[in-house]
Amino acid sequence: MAPIEMFPNLIKRSFSFGKKVASNVFAPKIGLALSGGSAWGIAHIGVLKALEENQIPISYISGTSIGALIGGLYALGVPVSKLEELAHQTHWKDLCRFVIPNEGLLTNEPMESFIHKKIGYKTFEDLKIPFAAICTDLISGEEVVIQSGKVATAIRASTAIPGIFQPVVIEGRTLVDGGLVNNLPVTQLKKMGAHYTIAVHLFSDFNQWIPKTGPEIILKSFLIMQHKASSHEISQADLLIDINMKGFNPIDLNQSKKLIQKGYERGLAKRKEIKKIPKQHKSS
C-alpha cells in the first residue's frame, strides 16, 4: 500500500490544521483619530497624504471638530487632492454667518450647505470608510458618537464651538463641539474594531497667538482645555503623530498650503514608526 493511502486521516488533519492557522492570521484593521484645532486641522490633509504615500490602509476614522470635517469627507471617498483644493478655496463665509445673539454669535449652518454643494447629500450609509463624529450633549455633558444620519449634519454638530456657534439639535439632543469631552477619539476606534490606532494631535505652546476679540478669547480657552484633556486618549494610541502648530493662527484659513505641508512633513517624519505597523494580526 502506498504511504499516502496508509494515513488518510493524518493527511486530512494536517490540511485542516493548516487552514486553521491561516484563518487566524490577517491584515490588521488600522484606525485613524483626527483631533480638533480649528483652522490648524487643515494639517490633517497633509498627514493623510503622507499615510497614502506610505501605503497605509485606513479601516476606521474618528474625528472631533475640524477632525470630523476632514475625516468625514475623506471617509466619504473625497481624495486628498480634492481636500487640498477645498482647503485653498474655502473662506469663513462658506462655513458660518452672523446671527442675532441667541446661544451663539454665529451659526455654522452654511457649513452643512457647503458640504452638500461640494459632495451631495450623503448619509453614513454612503461612507467608503466607517466614520464616527464626536459631539457633546450640552444638557447632560455626555459624549455623543454619531454614526448614522446625514454626514454633513454630524460634522456641523461636532464643530459647533459653544459660545461661538449655536448648538445643533439632532434627534432631540442639543449638541456642540466634541472637544469638550473628547478631542482625540482613539478609544472610539477600538470600539469600532481597530487593531492598531494612529492619532493625529494638534497642539501649540499658545504664546504666539494673542486673542483680541471675544470669540477669539473663547476659542483660545477652548483650545487650551482640549490640549490639557487629551493625555488619556494620547496614551491609548499605538502611533502618535503630534504636530506643533507654533506660528500658526488657529483662525487663519489663508495659511492652508503651509498647514498641509506641515502635516505632510510631520507624517513623513514618522516613517520609521509607520513601517513598523504590523502587516499581520493574529486573532485571539
Side-chain angles (χ1 to χ4, degrees), residues 127-177:
L127 294 172
K128 308 300 181 184
I129 301 172
F131 164 69
I134 309 301
C135 304
T136 303
D137 186 315
L138 188 61
I139 307 305
S140 68
E142 297 175 323
E143 177 179 341
V144 177
V145 180
I146 302 182
Q147 293 181 280
S148 63
K150 295 180 181 178
V151 176
T153 306
I155 291 172
R156 180 185 162 206
S158 184
T159 58
I161 301 172
I164 297 180
F165 295 117
Q166 293 180 330
V168 178
V169 177
I170 299 179
E171 296 183 357
R173 305 191 76 167
T174 303
L175 304 179
V176 294
D177 197 302

Short mmCIF file of all heavy atoms in Angstrom, two decimals, residues 127-177:
data_model
loop_
_atom_site.label_atom_id
_atom_site.label_comp_id
_atom_site.label_asym_id
_atom_site.label_seq_id
_atom_site.Cartn_x
_atom_site.Cartn_y
_atom_site.Cartn_z
N LEU A 127 -20.71 56.01 3.22
CA LEU A 127 -19.29 56.05 3.57
C LEU A 127 -18.49 54.93 2.90
O LEU A 127 -18.96 53.80 2.78
CB LEU A 127 -19.11 55.92 5.09
CG LEU A 127 -19.63 57.07 5.95
CD1 LEU A 127 -19.57 56.68 7.42
CD2 LEU A 127 -18.82 58.34 5.71
N LYS A 128 -17.29 55.26 2.49
CA LYS A 128 -16.34 54.28 1.96
C LYS A 128 -15.54 53.66 3.11
O LYS A 128 -15.07 52.53 3.02
CB LYS A 128 -15.38 54.94 0.97
CG LYS A 128 -16.05 55.73 -0.14
CD LYS A 128 -16.96 54.88 -0.99
CE LYS A 128 -17.60 55.73 -2.10
NZ LYS A 128 -18.57 54.93 -2.91
N ILE A 129 -15.37 54.44 4.18
CA ILE A 129 -14.66 54.01 5.38
C ILE A 129 -15.56 54.32 6.57
O ILE A 129 -16.07 55.43 6.69
CB ILE A 129 -13.32 54.77 5.55
CG1 ILE A 129 -12.42 54.55 4.33
CG2 ILE A 129 -12.60 54.32 6.82
CD1 ILE A 129 -11.16 55.42 4.35
N PRO A 130 -15.76 53.36 7.49
CA PRO A 130 -16.57 53.65 8.68
C PRO A 130 -16.03 54.86 9.44
O PRO A 130 -14.82 54.98 9.65
CB PRO A 130 -16.44 52.36 9.51
CG PRO A 130 -16.18 51.29 8.49
CD PRO A 130 -15.33 51.95 7.44
N PHE A 131 -16.94 55.73 9.86
CA PHE A 131 -16.54 57.01 10.45
C PHE A 131 -17.42 57.34 11.64
O PHE A 131 -18.61 57.02 11.67
CB PHE A 131 -16.66 58.10 9.38
CG PHE A 131 -16.66 59.51 9.90
CD1 PHE A 131 -15.51 60.06 10.45
CD2 PHE A 131 -17.81 60.30 9.82
CE1 PHE A 131 -15.51 61.37 10.93
CE2 PHE A 131 -17.82 61.60 10.29
CZ PHE A 131 -16.66 62.14 10.85
N ALA A 132 -16.82 58.00 12.64
CA ALA A 132 -17.57 58.45 13.82
C ALA A 132 -17.24 59.90 14.10
O ALA A 132 -16.07 60.28 14.16
CB ALA A 132 -17.22 57.58 15.03
N ALA A 133 -18.28 60.72 14.27
CA ALA A 133 -18.12 62.13 14.62
C ALA A 133 -18.42 62.30 16.11
O ALA A 133 -19.46 61.84 16.59
CB ALA A 133 -19.05 63.00 13.78
N ILE A 134 -17.52 62.96 16.82
CA ILE A 134 -17.67 63.12 18.26
C ILE A 134 -18.29 64.47 18.59
O ILE A 134 -17.82 65.52 18.14
CB ILE A 134 -16.31 62.99 18.97
CG1 ILE A 134 -15.60 61.71 18.52
CG2 ILE A 134 -16.49 63.04 20.48
CD1 ILE A 134 -16.37 60.44 18.79
N CYS A 135 -19.34 64.44 19.40
CA CYS A 135 -20.03 65.66 19.83
C CYS A 135 -20.22 65.62 21.34
O CYS A 135 -19.93 64.62 21.99
CB CYS A 135 -21.41 65.77 19.16
SG CYS A 135 -21.39 65.71 17.36
N THR A 136 -20.71 66.72 21.89
CA THR A 136 -21.01 66.81 23.31
C THR A 136 -22.47 67.19 23.49
O THR A 136 -22.96 68.11 22.83
CB THR A 136 -20.14 67.90 23.99
OG1 THR A 136 -18.76 67.61 23.78
CG2 THR A 136 -20.42 67.94 25.49
N ASP A 137 -23.17 66.47 24.35
CA ASP A 137 -24.54 66.83 24.69
C ASP A 137 -24.46 67.98 25.69
O ASP A 137 -23.99 67.81 26.82
CB ASP A 137 -25.27 65.64 25.32
CG ASP A 137 -26.75 65.91 25.56
OD1 ASP A 137 -27.08 67.00 26.07
OD2 ASP A 137 -27.57 65.03 25.25
N LEU A 138 -24.90 69.16 25.28
CA LEU A 138 -24.77 70.36 26.11
C LEU A 138 -25.64 70.29 27.37
O LEU A 138 -25.35 70.95 28.36
CB LEU A 138 -25.13 71.60 25.29
CG LEU A 138 -24.87 72.95 25.94
CD1 LEU A 138 -23.39 73.13 26.26
CD2 LEU A 138 -25.35 74.08 25.03
N ILE A 139 -26.68 69.48 27.35
CA ILE A 139 -27.58 69.37 28.51
C ILE A 139 -27.02 68.40 29.55
O ILE A 139 -26.95 68.71 30.74
CB ILE A 139 -28.99 68.93 28.07
CG1 ILE A 139 -29.52 69.84 26.96
CG2 ILE A 139 -29.94 68.93 29.27
CD1 ILE A 139 -29.54 71.31 27.30
N SER A 140 -26.62 67.22 29.11
CA SER A 140 -26.15 66.18 30.04
C SER A 140 -24.64 66.18 30.25
O SER A 140 -24.15 65.62 31.23
CB SER A 140 -26.58 64.80 29.54
OG SER A 140 -25.88 64.47 28.34
N GLY A 141 -23.90 66.79 29.30
CA GLY A 141 -22.45 66.77 29.37
C GLY A 141 -21.85 65.48 28.87
O GLY A 141 -20.63 65.27 28.94
N GLU A 142 -22.66 64.61 28.29
CA GLU A 142 -22.19 63.31 27.81
C GLU A 142 -21.53 63.40 26.44
O GLU A 142 -21.86 64.28 25.63
CB GLU A 142 -23.37 62.32 27.72
CG GLU A 142 -24.03 62.01 29.05
CD GLU A 142 -25.25 61.12 28.87
OE1 GLU A 142 -25.97 61.30 27.87
OE2 GLU A 142 -25.47 60.28 29.74
N GLU A 143 -20.62 62.49 26.19
CA GLU A 143 -20.05 62.34 24.85
C GLU A 143 -21.07 61.66 23.96
O GLU A 143 -21.70 60.67 24.36
CB GLU A 143 -18.77 61.49 24.91
CG GLU A 143 -18.16 61.21 23.55
CD GLU A 143 -16.88 60.40 23.63
OE1 GLU A 143 -16.26 60.36 24.72
OE2 GLU A 143 -16.50 59.81 22.60
N VAL A 144 -21.27 62.20 22.77
CA VAL A 144 -22.21 61.62 21.82
C VAL A 144 -21.44 61.24 20.56
O VAL A 144 -20.77 62.09 19.96
CB VAL A 144 -23.34 62.61 21.47
CG1 VAL A 144 -24.26 62.02 20.41
CG2 VAL A 144 -24.12 62.98 22.72
N VAL A 145 -21.54 59.99 20.18
CA VAL A 145 -20.86 59.49 18.99
C VAL A 145 -21.89 59.33 17.88
O VAL A 145 -22.84 58.53 18.02
CB VAL A 145 -20.16 58.14 19.26
CG1 VAL A 145 -19.46 57.64 18.00
CG2 VAL A 145 -19.18 58.28 20.41
N ILE A 146 -21.74 60.06 16.81
CA ILE A 146 -22.71 59.99 15.71
C ILE A 146 -22.16 59.08 14.60
O ILE A 146 -21.06 59.31 14.09
CB ILE A 146 -23.02 61.38 15.14
CG1 ILE A 146 -23.57 62.30 16.24
CG2 ILE A 146 -24.03 61.26 14.00
CD1 ILE A 146 -23.95 63.68 15.75
N GLN A 147 -22.94 58.07 14.26
CA GLN A 147 -22.56 57.12 13.22
C GLN A 147 -23.74 56.78 12.30
O GLN A 147 -23.73 55.74 11.64
CB GLN A 147 -22.01 55.84 13.85
CG GLN A 147 -20.68 56.03 14.58
CD GLN A 147 -20.14 54.75 15.19
OE1 GLN A 147 -20.59 54.33 16.25
NE2 GLN A 147 -19.21 54.11 14.51
N SER A 148 -24.72 57.67 12.27
CA SER A 148 -25.87 57.46 11.39
C SER A 148 -26.46 58.81 11.03
O SER A 148 -26.17 59.83 11.66
CB SER A 148 -26.93 56.59 12.09
OG SER A 148 -27.43 57.24 13.25
N GLY A 149 -27.31 58.81 10.01
CA GLY A 149 -27.93 60.06 9.56
C GLY A 149 -27.11 60.77 8.51
O GLY A 149 -26.28 60.17 7.82
N LYS A 150 -27.31 62.08 8.41
CA LYS A 150 -26.59 62.88 7.42
C LYS A 150 -25.18 63.19 7.91
O LYS A 150 -25.00 63.68 9.04
CB LYS A 150 -27.33 64.18 7.14
CG LYS A 150 -28.69 64.00 6.48
CD LYS A 150 -29.36 65.35 6.25
CE LYS A 150 -30.72 65.20 5.61
NZ LYS A 150 -31.39 66.52 5.43
N VAL A 151 -24.19 62.92 7.09
CA VAL A 151 -22.80 63.16 7.47
C VAL A 151 -22.55 64.65 7.71
O VAL A 151 -21.89 65.03 8.68
CB VAL A 151 -21.83 62.63 6.39
CG1 VAL A 151 -20.39 62.97 6.75
CG2 VAL A 151 -21.99 61.11 6.24
N ALA A 152 -23.08 65.50 6.85
CA ALA A 152 -22.85 66.94 6.98
C ALA A 152 -23.42 67.49 8.28
O ALA A 152 -22.82 68.36 8.91
CB ALA A 152 -23.46 67.68 5.79
N THR A 153 -24.56 66.98 8.71
CA THR A 153 -25.17 67.44 9.96
C THR A 153 -24.33 67.00 11.15
O THR A 153 -24.14 67.76 12.11
CB THR A 153 -26.60 66.89 10.11
OG1 THR A 153 -27.37 67.22 8.95
CG2 THR A 153 -27.28 67.47 11.34
N ALA A 154 -23.80 65.78 11.10
CA ALA A 154 -22.94 65.28 12.17
C ALA A 154 -21.67 66.12 12.28
O ALA A 154 -21.22 66.47 13.38
CB ALA A 154 -22.58 63.82 11.90
N ILE A 155 -21.10 66.47 11.14
CA ILE A 155 -19.89 67.30 11.11
C ILE A 155 -20.18 68.68 11.68
O ILE A 155 -19.41 69.22 12.48
CB ILE A 155 -19.35 67.42 9.67
CG1 ILE A 155 -18.81 66.07 9.19
CG2 ILE A 155 -18.27 68.50 9.58
CD1 ILE A 155 -18.44 66.04 7.72
N ARG A 156 -21.32 69.23 11.29
CA ARG A 156 -21.70 70.55 11.77
C ARG A 156 -21.84 70.56 13.30
O ARG A 156 -21.38 71.48 13.99
CB ARG A 156 -23.02 70.97 11.13
CG ARG A 156 -23.50 72.34 11.57
CD ARG A 156 -24.88 72.63 10.98
NE ARG A 156 -25.51 73.72 11.71
CZ ARG A 156 -26.82 73.88 11.80
NH1 ARG A 156 -27.63 73.03 11.19
NH2 ARG A 156 -27.31 74.90 12.48
N ALA A 157 -22.43 69.52 13.86
CA ALA A 157 -22.59 69.42 15.31
C ALA A 157 -21.24 69.29 16.00
O ALA A 157 -20.99 69.92 17.04
CB ALA A 157 -23.48 68.23 15.67
N SER A 158 -20.37 68.49 15.42
CA SER A 158 -19.06 68.26 16.04
C SER A 158 -18.19 69.51 16.03
O SER A 158 -17.27 69.63 16.84
CB SER A 158 -18.34 67.13 15.30
OG SER A 158 -17.10 66.81 15.91
N THR A 159 -18.47 70.45 15.13
CA THR A 159 -17.66 71.67 15.01
C THR A 159 -18.29 72.89 15.66
O THR A 159 -17.76 74.00 15.55
CB THR A 159 -17.39 71.99 13.53
OG1 THR A 159 -18.65 72.16 12.86
CG2 THR A 159 -16.60 70.89 12.84
N ALA A 160 -19.43 72.70 16.36
CA ALA A 160 -20.16 73.83 16.94
C ALA A 160 -19.54 74.24 18.28
O ALA A 160 -20.01 73.84 19.35
CB ALA A 160 -21.63 73.47 17.12
N ILE A 161 -18.50 75.07 18.22
CA ILE A 161 -17.82 75.53 19.44
C ILE A 161 -18.80 76.35 20.28
O ILE A 161 -19.32 77.37 19.81
CB ILE A 161 -16.59 76.40 19.08
CG1 ILE A 161 -15.60 75.59 18.23
CG2 ILE A 161 -15.91 76.91 20.35
CD1 ILE A 161 -14.47 76.42 17.68
N PRO A 162 -19.06 75.93 21.51
CA PRO A 162 -20.05 76.64 22.34
C PRO A 162 -19.63 78.07 22.66
O PRO A 162 -18.47 78.35 22.94
CB PRO A 162 -20.09 75.78 23.62
CG PRO A 162 -18.79 75.04 23.64
CD PRO A 162 -18.46 74.78 22.21
N GLY A 163 -20.61 78.96 22.59
CA GLY A 163 -20.33 80.37 22.83
C GLY A 163 -20.01 81.12 21.56
O GLY A 163 -20.17 82.34 21.49
N ILE A 164 -19.54 80.39 20.55
CA ILE A 164 -19.25 80.99 19.25
C ILE A 164 -20.33 80.59 18.24
O ILE A 164 -20.94 81.43 17.59
CB ILE A 164 -17.86 80.58 18.73
CG1 ILE A 164 -16.77 81.10 19.69
CG2 ILE A 164 -17.63 81.12 17.32
CD1 ILE A 164 -15.35 80.74 19.27
N PHE A 165 -20.56 79.28 18.14
CA PHE A 165 -21.60 78.77 17.23
C PHE A 165 -22.81 78.29 18.00
O PHE A 165 -22.70 77.77 19.12
CB PHE A 165 -21.05 77.61 16.39
CG PHE A 165 -19.94 77.99 15.46
CD1 PHE A 165 -18.67 77.44 15.61
CD2 PHE A 165 -20.14 78.90 14.43
CE1 PHE A 165 -17.63 77.80 14.76
CE2 PHE A 165 -19.11 79.26 13.57
CZ PHE A 165 -17.85 78.71 13.74
N GLN A 166 -23.96 78.42 17.39
CA GLN A 166 -25.17 77.91 18.01
C GLN A 166 -25.14 76.39 18.04
O GLN A 166 -24.59 75.75 17.13
CB GLN A 166 -26.40 78.37 17.20
CG GLN A 166 -26.64 79.86 17.25
CD GLN A 166 -27.86 80.28 16.44
OE1 GLN A 166 -28.20 79.65 15.46
NE2 GLN A 166 -28.52 81.35 16.87
N PRO A 167 -25.72 75.78 19.08
CA PRO A 167 -25.78 74.32 19.14
C PRO A 167 -26.60 73.75 17.99
O PRO A 167 -27.38 74.46 17.35
CB PRO A 167 -26.47 74.06 20.49
CG PRO A 167 -26.26 75.31 21.28
CD PRO A 167 -26.29 76.42 20.26
N VAL A 168 -26.40 72.46 17.74
CA VAL A 168 -27.14 71.77 16.68
C VAL A 168 -27.99 70.69 17.33
O VAL A 168 -27.48 69.88 18.11
CB VAL A 168 -26.17 71.14 15.67
CG1 VAL A 168 -26.94 70.38 14.58
CG2 VAL A 168 -25.29 72.21 15.04
N VAL A 169 -29.27 70.68 17.03
CA VAL A 169 -30.18 69.70 17.62
C VAL A 169 -30.33 68.51 16.67
O VAL A 169 -30.73 68.66 15.52
CB VAL A 169 -31.56 70.31 17.92
CG1 VAL A 169 -32.51 69.25 18.48
CG2 VAL A 169 -31.43 71.48 18.89
N ILE A 170 -30.00 67.32 17.18
CA ILE A 170 -30.13 66.09 16.42
C ILE A 170 -30.87 65.07 17.28
O ILE A 170 -30.44 64.75 18.39
CB ILE A 170 -28.76 65.50 16.00
CG1 ILE A 170 -28.01 66.49 15.09
CG2 ILE A 170 -28.94 64.16 15.29
CD1 ILE A 170 -26.64 65.99 14.66
N GLU A 171 -32.01 64.60 16.79
CA GLU A 171 -32.83 63.61 17.50
C GLU A 171 -33.12 64.05 18.93
O GLU A 171 -33.04 63.26 19.88
CB GLU A 171 -32.15 62.24 17.47
CG GLU A 171 -32.02 61.67 16.07
CD GLU A 171 -31.42 60.26 16.06
OE1 GLU A 171 -31.05 59.78 17.16
OE2 GLU A 171 -31.33 59.67 14.98
N GLY A 172 -33.42 65.34 19.09
CA GLY A 172 -33.81 65.86 20.39
C GLY A 172 -32.67 66.19 21.33
O GLY A 172 -32.90 66.68 22.44
N ARG A 173 -31.44 65.97 20.90
CA ARG A 173 -30.28 66.26 21.75
C ARG A 173 -29.60 67.54 21.28
O ARG A 173 -29.39 67.74 20.07
CB ARG A 173 -29.28 65.10 21.74
CG ARG A 173 -29.88 63.78 22.14
CD ARG A 173 -28.84 62.70 22.37
NE ARG A 173 -28.17 62.88 23.67
CZ ARG A 173 -27.39 61.96 24.23
NH1 ARG A 173 -27.18 60.80 23.61
NH2 ARG A 173 -26.82 62.18 25.39
N THR A 174 -29.26 68.41 22.22
CA THR A 174 -28.61 69.68 21.91
C THR A 174 -27.11 69.46 21.91
O THR A 174 -26.49 69.26 22.96
CB THR A 174 -28.98 70.74 22.96
OG1 THR A 174 -30.42 70.87 23.01
CG2 THR A 174 -28.38 72.09 22.61
N LEU A 175 -26.51 69.49 20.72
CA LEU A 175 -25.12 69.09 20.56
C LEU A 175 -24.19 70.26 20.24
O LEU A 175 -24.56 71.18 19.51
CB LEU A 175 -25.00 68.03 19.46
CG LEU A 175 -25.87 66.78 19.64
CD1 LEU A 175 -25.67 65.83 18.46
CD2 LEU A 175 -25.57 66.08 20.96
N VAL A 176 -22.98 70.18 20.78
CA VAL A 176 -21.93 71.15 20.49
C VAL A 176 -20.62 70.40 20.23
O VAL A 176 -20.57 69.17 20.25
CB VAL A 176 -21.74 72.15 21.66
CG1 VAL A 176 -22.98 73.03 21.81
CG2 VAL A 176 -21.42 71.43 22.97
N ASP A 177 -19.56 71.15 20.03
CA ASP A 177 -18.24 70.62 19.70
C ASP A 177 -17.83 69.47 20.62
O ASP A 177 -17.89 69.58 21.85
CB ASP A 177 -17.21 71.75 19.80
CG ASP A 177 -15.91 71.44 19.09
OD1 ASP A 177 -15.28 70.43 19.43
OD2 ASP A 177 -15.53 72.21 18.20
#
